[in-house]
């Protein structure tokens, strides 16, 4: 699986959009981008995933660049409860999810 | 639908002892993966079970083992505990092992 690079930390004001970047310049054509988050002392929570088209669900939007070398997770209206570590991983979708490699992630702090 | 459950939530053991952790996946999920999370190493993949068979294995010593039962419940065993085994052990399930994973709350193991 391709390696990802994320900034170690970011701050965001409550109510504003949080934009979390991820670099995956060695991504292969059949690898998907997945995002998870982990709130302190809890298990990671799946957020969203995509291949090349932008995706949106009730939690977030995922914007993937045309060359697929980077992506951005967008939380449109961040709340204090969105404070967490956000992990970006890339993985071939039809392979075992258990082999996912989680990096260090980005610690997002939402401030009032 | 009930989420992934893990028992016990907290455990204290001494060096040299062994420990068994349990994971009950979401109903209908046949894939169960185990991860170890420590402050220094982050989230590391231990192994994955699917239909009672170990399908993938991470780079951990043989002291770490697991199994899966016919009802998809899984157990993880660590023998001859070392201080460095102190960690949060997370279990994740998915229907087939492909796609997103659903994590449990984890078992916090402390080795004294």
């Amino acid at each position: 699986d391709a390696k990802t690079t994320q900034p170690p930390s970011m701050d965001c004001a409550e109510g504003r959009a949080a934009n979390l970047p991820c670099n995956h310049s060695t991504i292969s054509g059949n690898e998907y981008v997945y995002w998870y988050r982990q709130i302190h002392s809890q298990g990671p929570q799946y957020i969203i995933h995509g291949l090349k088209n932008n995706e949106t669900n009730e939690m977030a939007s995922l914007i993937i660049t045309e060359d697929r070398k980077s992506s951005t997770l967008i939380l449109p209206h961040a709340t204090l409860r969105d404070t967490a570590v956000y992990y970006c991983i890339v993985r071939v979708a039809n392979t075992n999810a258990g082999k996912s490699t989680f990096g260090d992630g980005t610690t997002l702090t939402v401030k009032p | 639908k009930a989420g992934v459950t893990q028992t016990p939530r907290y455990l204290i053991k001494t060096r040299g002892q062994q420990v068994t952790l349990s994971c009950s996946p979401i109903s209908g999920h046949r894939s169960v993966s185990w991860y170890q999370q420590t402050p220094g190493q982050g989230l590391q993949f231990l192994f994955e079970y699917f239909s009672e068979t170990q399908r993938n294995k991470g780079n951990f010593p043989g002291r770490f083992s697991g199994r899966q039962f016919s009802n998809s419940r899984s157990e993880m065993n660590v023998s001859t505990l070392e201080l460095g085994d102190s960690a949060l052990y997370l279990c994740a399930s998915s229907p087939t092992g492909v796609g997103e994973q659903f994590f449990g709350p984890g078992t916090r193991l402390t080795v004294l």
Side-chain angles (χ1 to χ4, degrees):
Chain A
D1 293 339
K3 183 178 167 55
T4 62
T5 304
Q6 299 176 253
S9 64
M10 293 182 63
D11 291 342
C12 177
E14 187 177 19
R16 304 296 294 269
N19 298 294
L20 294 96
C22 180
N23 181 285
H24 32 79
S25 59
T26 60
I27 193 170
S28 301
N30 61 349
E31 287 183 312
Y32 284 67
V33 180
Y34 283 79
W35 283 84
Y36 287 79
R37 72 180 183 184
Q38 186 173 24
I39 296 170
H40 184 61
S41 297
Q42 297 181 23
Q45 175 191 25
Y46 165 79
I47 301 173
I48 197 167
H49 75 282
L51 182 63
K52 54 183 176 181
N53 297 320
N54 298 337
E55 301 288 342
T56 296
N57 63 20
E58 65 278 4
M59 288 183 67
S61 294
L62 174 61
I63 308 297
I64 303 174
T65 58
E66 193 169 340
D67 63 7
R68 302 205 329 117
K69 293 182 185 299
S70 65
S71 61
T72 301
L73 178 74
I74 301 172
L75 307 178
H77 306 286
T79 70
L80 299 179
R81 286 180 296 180
D82 291 321
T83 292
V85 179
Y86 287 77
Y87 296 99
C88 164
I89 62 175
V90 293
R91 179 171 63 79
V92 179
N94 63 352
T95 57
N96 308 126
K99 291 185 71 176
S100 299
T101 301
F102 288 74
D104 293 332
T106 295
T107 299
L108 173 69
T109 303
V110 180
K111 299 184 174 180
Chain B
K1 221 179 220 186
V4 178
T5 58
Q6 293 187 245
T7 56
R9 293 293 313 278
Y10 302 91
L11 203 51
I12 299 175
K13 291 285 188 178
T14 57
R15 279 182 300 174
Q17 287 187 309
Q18 74 165 18
V19 66
T20 299
L21 312 181
S22 181
C23 171
S24 292
I26 292 172
S27 178
H29 287 194
R30 295 165 62 190
S31 168
V32 174
S33 297
W34 288 89
Y35 292 83
Q36 181 196 65
Q37 186 172 34
T38 60
Q41 298 297 319
L43 200 62
Q44 292 188 289
F45 170 69
L46 279 156
F47 30 65
E48 183 211 3
Y49 285 86
F50 182 82
S51 293
E52 302 178 66
T53 301
Q54 188 181 87
R55 192 160 66 170
N56 287 290
K57 191 175 189 304
N59 296 321
F60 278 81
R63 300 185 297 107
F64 292 82
S65 63
R67 59 178 176 169
Q68 187 180 33
F69 302 95
S70 57
N71 61 358
S72 292
R73 189 178 69 86
S74 177
E75 288 182 346
M76 191 195 103
N77 184 276
V78 187
S79 63
T80 319
L81 284 166
E82 301 176 358
L83 295 179
D85 297 333
S86 294
L88 179 66
Y89 288 89
L90 292 158
C91 159
S93 78
S94 68
T96 61
V98 172
E100 64 266 33
Q101 295 177 281
F102 299 86
F103 284 81
T107 293
R108 174 77 60 185
L109 172 66
T110 301
V111 182
L112 302 176

